Amino acid sequence: MADARPFHWEFEPDQVDREVFRIEGGRRLEGTVRISGAKNAALKLMAAATLTGERCRFTNVPEIEDVRVLAEVLRDIGVTVDHPAPNTYELACGDAEWLFVPLEAAAKMRASFILLGPLLARFGRVIISNPGGDRIGRRPVNLHVDAMRALGAEIDYRNGYYFAKAPGRLRGGHVVFPQITVMGTENAMLAAVLADGHTVIEPAAQEPEVDDLIEFLQQMGAEVERTSPTRIEIEGRRRLRGADHRVVPDRIEAGTFIVAAGVTHGRVTLQDAPCDHLGAFLGVMADVGVSVHCGRDTIEVDATEADLRPLRGCDIETDPYPGLATDLQPPICVLLSQTEGISHVHETVFEDRLEWLGELRRMGARVEISDSHHATIEGPSPLHGAEVEIGDLRAGASLILAALAANGTTTIRGAHHVHRGYEKIDRKFLELGARIERLAEGT
Ligand code: EPU
């Protein structure tokens, strides 16, 4: 069963590479959309499954390219990865055969570096490629490596690979990060749950996906707890057991659909949506004038009033959670291009995450990029169809939003970036009344 191919993938990656989205804009989005499980939780949960030889079962796993790639990487090291039904994965990591995570995996998906902590803790050694950078900046992994060293690991770096060893067993320690890091926190946690003794991680990232991972680790029998908002404490265990878990809903996907309703002056209901995890983002929606109401598991968005009363510009600054998510900065920028006045954007988390605004400018937005962390957007400016290119996942989803709001037809190249992290995004928009097609490039 280990080699079973996921049965409902509609394309292979090489086909995905040649895909474009073609969108005819100017239609109000209306209806209901279901929010999928969070990419940034699912990947870490799958990595956590390597901490035990017993079977782990995940539901609400998004059917996205990153999950498929991680499943392949795990199969390559000997993990049994089954995909018995859509959105369900079962993993069993007996004795891993080959504790090597190659460059190919790291190049496809930076998040493969999350395997460092759990493989090192469980098997005492791993060779893992340096994921390097991507289109949103340099993205070093020094903080992950320092965290492992604080837990007693010996790590050498040669020819683009980290050679990591834990002589005997990792030992608990004090992991102090000089800045907040989401995956750094998670990697440290995944190592410390099997280490000998007590570990304190601070300042620990507070993202909801980190807490989803804590919840799963507790189900596995790990002694791990957030003892203050920015501190996680762990008492290492010798062994963990298999567990079942439902992946937390994707707050970034939810934010993307809320903005989609906003820019098309639409009315959309989000189901399985995590309102509690969207605090700072909902503050921005209130400032702009998009009406958002939270129910138990639903969010109602109504932007139809924008026909009568223009939306308002506002200044935004990204920050680690509970601040405004950097992953929602690109969608918000599309919305700000449709609001009245001048909005200032301060991206504090990543360098180069404003570069994609050049593509938004090609669609008619008035955008000034002052430096790698600051931009100014003046609105409202009518957007028009254009040929644009996606550079990374969140910029890609945001270009779709811009195309939905634009007059005329937009062709967006580089669709594979979006399939990395959004489940059936074209189908979801179609069901809300958008005119969106996925085509092979050149058709
Ligand atoms: N950083 C370092 N050294 C490190 C690690 C991070 O200098 O060893 C820096 C980064 O360059 C960045 C800052 O620290 O400037 C924060 O980065 P962080 O480590 O928090 O980011 P990450 O864990 O690599 C995750 C998400 C990102 C999301 C960020 C911030 C996953 C797989 N990725 O990345 O998601 O933007 O946290 O919330 O969880 C996305 O989904 O599109 C995405 C990029």
Side-chain angles (χ1 to χ4, degrees), residues 20-21 23 135-136 256 327 329-331 334 353 355-357 359-360 363 388-404 410-422 425-426 429 436:
V20 300
F21 289 116
I23 296 167
R135 292 287 284 269
I136 60 173
T256 305
D327 294 342
Q329 171 266 109
V334 178
R353 209 172 204 180
E355 270 182 12
W356 79 280
L357 287 169
E359 296 299 283
L360 187 59
M363 297 180 69
V388 290
E389 170 103 37
I390 295 174
D392 75 83
L393 170 64
R394 305 302 174 190
S398 304
L399 285 171
I400 294 178
L401 300 182
L404 294 172
T410 300
T411 304
I412 308 178
R413 286 192 305 275
H416 62 284
H417 286 291
V418 178
H419 298 315
R420 275 191 44 216
Y422 290 87
I425 193 167
D426 49 325
F429 278 128
I436 174 168

Side-chain angles (χ1 to χ4, degrees), residues 39-41 43-44 66 110-111 134 136-145 179-186 205 207 209 251-252 319-321 325-327 348-351 353 392-394 420:
K39 164 179 86 82
N40 289 345
L43 298 173
K44 326 309 171 47
D66 271 10
R110 188 178 182 281
D134 61 18
I136 60 173
R138 264 180 323 117
R139 307 198 65 186
V141 288
N142 57 313
L143 303 179
H144 300 234
V145 172
Q179 69 188 91
I180 305 271
T181 161
V182 175
M183 274 215 292
T185 299
E186 293 165 332
E207 272 64 8
E209 295 76 20
R251 65 198 163 100
I252 308 301
D319 264 316
Y321 195 84
T326 170
D327 294 342
T348 70
V349 180
F350 290 116
E351 30 177 272
R353 209 172 204 180
D392 75 83
L393 170 64
R394 305 302 174 190
R420 275 191 44 216

Side-chain angles (χ1 to χ4, degrees), residues 174-175 177 185 188-189 199-204 230-234:
H174 200 177
V175 177
F177 288 117
T185 299
M189 230 165 45
T199 296
V200 178
I201 303 173
E202 57 189 347
T230 56
R231 185 189 307 118
I232 293 173
E233 293 192 52
I234 297 154

